[in-house]
């Protein structure tokens, strides 16, 4: 029987993927905050970055509790997306552009959690994944709302 201290390999692999995506999101929101420095939006992006760091740490702890080495880095896709966002900012992309990039980041992490919950229903870590998903969904909806107001 699977417990939080005896996860099967498929669950650990899923957690590793989510760790990487949370780390990507953390970095993305840190850079988005820098790109809108001086705007009240920067503090919201910083909060989202901190939320993603907390989620990544919780997932890393679950992996480590299973005698596995947790991922410590994001993905190449995440790094490429951040480079694109920074280029858009450098070319004059303002608040609306950064909110569009934030929504794209939120779409990515939301889909990753949805996929994980489909593949891992009823696992020993479902409660953690559902809690994270609720946070991600709330942030996604808020970012979309902010973006729509900027039109």
């Amino acid at each position: 029987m699977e417990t939080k201290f005896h996860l099967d390999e498929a669950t650990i692999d899923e957690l590793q993927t989510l760790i990487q995506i949370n780390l990507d999101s953390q970095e993305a929101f840190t850079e988005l905050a820098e790109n809108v420095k001086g705007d009240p939006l920067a503090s919201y992006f910083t909060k989202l970055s901190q939320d993603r760091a907390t989620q990544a740490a919780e997932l890393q702890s679950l992996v480590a509790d299973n005698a596995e080495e947790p991922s410590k880095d994001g993905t190449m896709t995440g790094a490429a997306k951040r480079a694109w966002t920074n280029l858009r900012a450098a070319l004059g992309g303002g608040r609306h552009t950064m909110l569009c990039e934030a929504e794209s980041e939120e779409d990515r992490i939301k889909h990753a959690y949805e996929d994980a919950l489909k593949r891992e229903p009823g696992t020993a870590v479902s409660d953690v994944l559902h809690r994270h998903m609720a946070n991600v969904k709330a942030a996604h909806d808020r970012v979309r709302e902010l973006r729509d107001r900027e039109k």
Side-chain angles (χ1 to χ4, degrees):
M1 182 166 134
E2 187 179 64
T3 68
K4 288 185 181 179
F5 298 102
H6 295 94
L7 297 173
D8 68 29
E9 197 60 38
T11 301
I12 290 173
D13 289 346
E14 196 67 53
L15 294 177
Q16 296 282 35
T17 298
L18 291 172
I19 290 167
Q20 291 179 311
I21 290 171
N22 272 281
L23 293 173
D24 283 345
S25 186
Q26 175 194 4
E27 287 295 319
F29 281 114
T30 296
E31 291 185 18
L32 283 165
E34 278 296 311
N35 290 333
V36 294
K37 199 176 204 171
D39 185 303
L41 193 55
S43 63
Y44 182 61
F45 286 159
T46 298
K47 179 196 175 303
L48 290 178
S49 176
Q50 292 165 346
D51 291 348
R52 298 304 183 260
T54 299
Q55 288 181 182
E58 186 173 11
L59 297 172
Q60 287 168 326
S61 178
L62 287 168
V63 170
D65 287 346
N66 282 270
E68 296 283 339
E69 182 68 28
S71 296
K72 290 181 174 60
D73 298 312
T75 65
M76 293 300 291
T77 300
K81 283 185 61 52
R82 287 189 304 278
W84 171 247
T85 299
N86 289 333
L87 177 63
R88 290 185 76 189
L91 294 174
R95 184 179 164 98
H96 183 262
T97 300
M98 294 304 104
L99 283 163
C100 288
E101 292 300 324
E103 185 183 20
S104 174
E105 189 61 38
E106 288 299 270
D107 284 341
R108 183 170 180 250
I109 195 167
K110 185 176 107 177
H111 292 305
Y113 272 94
E114 287 170 346
D115 290 347
L117 286 165
K118 284 178 194 168
R119 283 192 293 271
E120 302 296 328
T123 67
V125 296
S126 291
D127 58 332
V128 173
L129 299 183
H130 280 285
R131 187 170 27 82
H132 286 192
M133 179 63 186
N135 292 338
V136 166
K137 185 170 179 349
H140 175 273
D141 293 349
R142 178 72 177 137
V143 166
R144 185 181 58 223
E145 175 187 322
L146 291 169
R147 187 223 46 211
D148 289 349
R149 277 195 218 159
E150 285 292 317
K151 286 184 181 178

